[in-house]
Amino acid sequence: MQAQFLPKANNQITEIWLDLEAKRIGLGDDFLDELEVTIDHVQQFPEGYIAISPNIRRLPMKRFKYSIFYHFDKEAQRIDVVQILPQSASPRRWPE
């Protein structure tokens, strides 16, 4: 099962990468590597992570202080990555 990144999530990935690369060359690429590993976990165990609402689950990244928010449609066997937010983000910013 493949995860699909919604446009908002893609934009956030680009912004995070640019910010991290500005701090240290290669740090953005390290983020992308960890993101790939994190998404692999979601694809293997889509129901195994924190449900923050009936439609959205959250998986914090380990090295980088961001959380992956995704929707898993069990019937369609589809994962949509909705947002990537700092772990410190207010729950009011979380997707519903």
Side-chain angles (χ1 to χ4, degrees):
M1 174 179 350
Q2 289 289 353
Q4 305 295 319
F5 290 83
L6 298 184
K8 187 172 191 173
N10 275 325
N11 291 341
Q12 290 167 328
I13 291 167
T14 300
E15 290 173 12
I16 294 165
W17 184 88
L18 288 169
D19 182 56
L20 292 172
E21 282 294 304
K23 291 179 182 173
R24 182 172 57 88
I25 293 175
L27 192 58
D29 291 336
D30 291 347
F31 169 78
L32 294 179
D33 290 342
E34 185 178 340
L35 177 63
E36 184 177 340
V37 169
T38 305
I39 295 300
D40 286 345
H41 288 285
V42 169
Q43 291 173 155
Q44 291 175 9
F45 308 104
E47 295 181 280
Y49 301 102
I50 305 163
I52 63 164
S53 75
N55 297 319
I56 301 292
R57 293 181 177 272
R58 174 180 171 243
L59 176 57
M61 296 175 75
K62 291 183 180 176
R63 177 177 173 200
F64 294 91
K65 301 299 179 189
Y66 290 92
S67 290
I68 311 302
F69 292 86
Y70 66 95
H71 172 262
F72 173 55
D73 184 333
K74 189 173 186 172
E75 189 174 301
Q77 290 293 292
R78 190 171 104 189
I79 299 167
D80 292 322
V81 178
V82 179
Q83 278 188 284
I84 299 169
L85 293 173
Q87 291 177 13
S88 61
S90 167
R92 287 178 280 175
R93 290 185 55 201
W94 293 0
E96 294 180 5

